[in-house]
Structure formats: structure tokens, C-alpha cells
Amino acid sequence: MSAPMNPQAIPQVSPQTAPEALTSPSPSAGILPFRASTPFTMGIELELQLVNRRNYNLAGDAVDLLTWIEPRELQEQIKLEMTRGMIELNSKVHTRVDQLIEELKVLRTALNKGAQHLNIDVSGGGVHPFQHWHEQRITPSERFNQIYEKYGYLAKSFTVFGQHIHIGVANGDDALYLSHAFSRFIPHFIALSAASPFYQGADTHFASSRSNVVKAFPLSGTAPVLTEWRAFETYYEELLHMDIIGSMKDFYWDIRPKPEYGTVEIRVCDTPLTIEHAAYLGSYAQLLARWILTERPFVITPDFYLLYQYNRFEASRYGLNGMIAQHREDPRYSSKVSIHEHLQTHLTLLEPYAENEADRATLRRLRQMATERGGDAVWLRQVFAKRGSLNDMMRLSSELWMGQRQAGQL
């Protein structure tokens, strides 16, 4: 999970910029109204690394970088994050992955140009491989300062970089069902996005070391097993009155509903090394949501998460080569199956829900990854093995994200 978000850190929706994104607001009448949105629209957030060109350690130039973003209106989609070596890029709301990719290219160009003025580069990846948490500086912000005061060193150690995916839903009950159902596919998202094999200067032997950092925070993990929005409102109100939370932002769950935007948010992904891969992950969530809310394949019971932590660990540790322990609800499967096989099976199930060639391109790309069992963590290790330097690995990684290098070039 990525660092606690600032209030503007999800895709912004307005009738002028994305008329297809939201229906007219029709919130429920409780303490936490859910604003209806058009089902299956998607938006993504990318937390990115700012690195200096001297040794490719994190740079502290996020605040200055914002002043160089042109055209100025794009500053609405490029945000500050917890520490000064991070920047967050936010997409608008989309229905097609190819249109999302084109928008991300525009944002990347603006970010690249701004970075050149400061002699820094921008990179994806889930963690910086050799930065030290105590060297990081909190970004000036009332909320960030409050988080630092509350959590101490954890706030700085949370200098990790994730992708969040938002999927639009029609109502709160659907949001809760989709949130729980998505949990069965969290191993897919972790394995497909894994891009943090090195941390604090060492090979962690994990595909995604970032996914372990969040566990120190309260209210991490999974949402309570509630299936009606009214019951969720009651739960929320109780925690609010006990001063455990101040808003939905204080839930650091792997998946959470976002009632003010009418979305379900997946928060487990490392930031990929390319914008295309990030967009395909968003498209995969969109396709899964179509299937889940149409077929309703799961019954949400109190023991729904019994195997969740095991499966999450397998994906973080081994990536696509990890194993998924399966519940007994589907007798077609053995008790365990590899993540890449489980992914292939569900990509086939999603084929009828691909509405255009862009959707089908997503399925082909992910099927290729499942077959090759590759991905960003594998690429990073290959680069390090060839170059022998984490600094050089970061240089090539930034060139990859900035569009200056192809993934096949080591």
C-alpha cells in the first residue's frame, strides 16, 4: 500500500473534464453517503520516484518540480506526497485503456520537461533500492505533518511507491461486494505489478518488498466483512466517535470503498516501470469488475478472508511463481494452484467482457506475462546482474519510465 493520501490524491471528476464519469449525485441519507458513479469507469494514481542524476538516490525536489509543470492546468493532476522525493500523478476518469495510455503520455511529457529544469529524473518501481528512511523530509502540509506526528518514523519509512486503481460503481452495496470479491485477485495484482526486489541496499528475495511496509500501520489489511452500506456506515460512525479515525483516508486497507467518488480503490500494486503496464493493470481491474458484478461468483461469508494473508504473502514473495490456496467453493480447482495458472484461467473467463480491441490487448499482454512469468521485478534483477550497480539500475529504470529506453534493453 502506498503512503497515506492527501485530500486531492484521487482522479478528479468534473462535468467539464469527464462528463461520462458520474451520474447525477444521489447519495444515501446516512453519515457516510455513497455518491453513485458510472459503473466500470476507471482512474489510476501513480506514486513516482524523483532521483538525482549524480548517484540516482532520491531527490528532495517535489515542491520545486510542481512550479515547472506546463501547461499549468496539469498541476491539478500532479500532486505532492508524504516525503519530498515523491510525486503523484493522477489520471482523469476513463472507459477505455487506450485513452488512458494517451493521457498518461501527456502527463509524462509534462513531468519529464519539468524534471529537466531541476536536473532530476523520474522513475517507477515500488521502492527506491538504497534510500534510507531517516534521510527523507516530510513535505510541507498540515495533513502530512499530522501523520508524521502521529506515526513517527513510520511516516518517513513509508517512502514507498504504489499504484492505486479506482473502479466506478453504482451504489454502496455494490462497492462492498466488489471490494470483497476483488480480494480473491489481490495475488494477481501484487504479482503483476511487483517491482521492488531491492530495499535498503539489499536483495530482499521478494518480488514486492513494498507490500510488507504497510503492515505496521493500524487499520491496514482488509475491510470488515460487511455487505450492506448501511451497516458499514454504522461501523464507520463508531470508529469516528471513538476518535480512531477522522475520515475514510485513515483506513489503509488493501482495498477500500471511496464513497465521495463512487469508486472501489485497489491499493496493493507497486508502481510499474512503464505507463503502459500501469494502464493495463487498471484495465484488468475494470474487466474483473464487469465479470464480478455481472456474475456475482462469490458468497461473502465471515470466513471469506481465512486464506487471504497466505495468498498475499505468496504473491509478494514469489510473484507469478507463487501459489494461491483456494477455498472449497469451486470443486474444479485443487487446493493450491500457481498464481500464473490462476491468472490464465481468469483471463479466459474475462474474454466475453472485453468490449473493444483495447480490452483484448490487455488480455493478450497479461496472458503473455503469465506465460513468461516475467515482470518488472525480474527485469530489475536482470539489470542489476548485468550492471552490478543499484545506482546504474535506477538510471536505466528512470530512462524506461520516462520513455527513453525499451524494456528489452539492459
Side-chain angles (χ1 to χ4, degrees), residues 221-254:
T222 60
V225 185
L226 301 171
T227 58
E228 296 182 356
W229 190 253
R230 188 164 296 178
F232 185 85
E233 285 183 305
T234 299
Y235 166 80
Y236 175 86
E237 185 174 18
E238 289 175 353
L239 268 61
L240 198 66
H241 286 169
M242 288 189 286
D243 200 29
I244 293 175
I245 61 170
S247 72
M248 283 295 297
K249 292 189 293 292
D250 294 319
F251 292 120
Y252 303 144
W253 298 326
D254 289 351

Side-chain angles (χ1 to χ4, degrees), residues 94-338:
H94 291 273
T95 58
R96 291 176 56 106
V97 65
D98 50 351
Q99 295 170 354
L100 172 59
I101 290 173
E102 291 307 308
E103 185 201 15
L104 291 175
K105 288 180 179 178
V106 171
L107 292 169
R108 179 179 66 182
T109 297
L111 203 56
N112 288 352
K113 288 181 178 178
Q116 303 316 301
H117 289 285
L118 300 172
N119 199 35
I120 61 175
D121 285 341
V122 185
S123 178
V127 301
H128 187 278
F130 57 87
Q131 65 89 19
H132 296 288
W133 67 264
H134 61 85
E135 297 174 347
Q136 304 311 313
R137 298 171 63 196
I138 300 296
T139 301
S141 157
E142 181 180 357
R143 173 162 170 77
F144 294 154
N145 288 333
Q146 288 173 349
I147 292 171
Y148 182 46
E149 183 177 345
K150 182 175 183 178
Y151 294 117
Y153 88 99
L154 292 179
K156 289 188 176 183
S157 70
F158 224 31
T159 303
V160 293
F161 306 84
Q163 172 178 351
H164 298 177
I165 302 167
H166 290 261
I167 301 297
V169 288
N171 56 67
D173 289 356
D174 281 356
L176 290 174
Y177 183 84
L178 185 60
S179 295
H180 295 310
F182 267 154
S183 71
R184 293 295 170 87
F185 303 97
I186 285 306
H188 294 188
F189 285 99
I190 292 175
L192 287 168
S193 68
S196 50
F198 300 97
Y199 186 56
Q200 299 286 295
D203 190 327
T204 65
H205 300 286
F206 274 69
S208 172
S209 63
R210 170 194 165 274
S211 61
N212 298 314
V213 176
V214 71
K215 292 183 179 180
F217 283 80
L219 299 176
S220 61
T222 60
V225 185
L226 301 171
T227 58
E228 296 182 356
W229 190 253
R230 188 164 296 178
F232 185 85
E233 285 183 305
T234 299
Y235 166 80
Y236 175 86
E237 185 174 18
E238 289 175 353
L239 268 61
L240 198 66
H241 286 169
M242 288 189 286
D243 200 29
I244 293 175
I245 61 170
S247 72
M248 283 295 297
K249 292 189 293 292
D250 294 319
F251 292 120
Y252 303 144
W253 298 326
D254 289 351
I255 313 163
R256 69 182 181 189
K258 288 292 287 182
E260 67 269 40
Y261 294 96
T263 67
V264 169
E265 179 187 15
I266 299 172
R267 299 166 53 84
V268 297
C269 297
D270 286 4
T271 296
L273 299 185
T274 66
I275 58 173
E276 291 81 6
H277 187 39
Y280 287 135
L281 291 175
S283 178
Y284 181 46
Q286 181 186 45
L287 288 163
L288 274 175
R290 288 178 192 156
W291 173 68
I292 288 169
L293 289 180
T294 301
E295 301 292 338
R296 304 277 172 163
F298 305 111
V299 176
I300 311 302
T301 61
D303 62 355
F304 198 73
Y305 290 95
L306 288 179
L307 301 175
Y308 180 84
Q309 292 299 336
Y310 173 83
N311 291 337
R312 190 185 191 281
F313 170 83
E314 284 284 309
S316 300
R317 175 67 176 84
Y318 301 107
L320 289 166
N321 289 314
M323 302 295 291
I324 287 182
Q326 298 191 110
H327 295 257
R328 296 178 180 178
E329 59 202 17
D330 192 339
R332 294 176 299 171
Y333 301 132
S334 60
S335 60
K336 284 186 180 180
V337 63
S338 67

